[in-house]
Amino acid sequence: MKILDKFFSKSTKNHEPEDVMKIARIIGPLVDKKVQEIFGEYKMKLLNEPITYIVPAVWGAKKDGELTATQKEINEQVVPVIIKIIESFQVRNLSGAQAFAIGFLTRGLIIAKITYMIEGVKNRVTNKNSSWEENTDILKDLEPLGTA
């Protein structure tokens, strides 16, 4: 009978509510800060290259050929962020597939935020009815604000 009582009775244990934002409060600012640092440091290179230039830089691999020196530098900044994000989950014995999935999602987020910033700057410059080449000088002093 005790088994049935346990099954049908309501639990009276007081559980502390879980802070569902705990990990998000770590990951969000970490990614935003790194994206702003990368864009701030490499904005001229990123603005002058095709939009796809950032993808191999974030992934650290290129399908055809070698990474440029700038792409390697960007990747060296991205990898520690991904490691910190994986560690923030505080999961023991994380499988290779799980770690890759977290890295995959994080890299995608970084790429999306950087491309958003690149396109935003290009749109602002072209909306002022002047040529792109004439306005590259003002971009040297551009500082990113906010988060993408």
Side-chain angles (χ1 to χ4, degrees), residues 45-130:
K45 183 72 173 174
L46 294 171
L47 290 166
N48 288 315
E49 293 290 337
I51 197 74
T52 56
Y53 181 83
I54 193 63
V55 176
V58 171
W59 276 97
K62 198 172 190 178
K63 190 174 182 178
D64 301 326
E66 295 285 320
L67 295 175
T68 66
T70 302
Q71 287 173 320
K72 288 178 185 177
E73 290 173 14
I74 291 171
N75 183 258
E76 288 171 3
Q77 292 184 32
V78 169
V79 170
V81 171
I82 292 171
I83 291 169
K84 285 181 186 176
I85 288 172
I86 291 171
E87 289 172 352
S88 73
F89 281 91
Q90 300 173 345
V91 177
R92 294 182 195 191
N93 302 324
L94 194 66
S95 75
Q98 291 169 325
F100 179 82
I102 293 169
F104 178 84
L105 294 171
T106 305
R107 283 180 170 95
L109 178 62
I110 291 170
I111 290 167
K113 286 180 173 267
I114 292 174
T115 55
Y116 183 82
M117 292 174 89
I118 292 168
E119 289 302 314
V121 169
K122 286 181 178 179
N123 284 337
R124 267 190 256 144
V125 170
T126 56
N127 284 340
K128 291 186 179 182
N129 295 327
S130 49

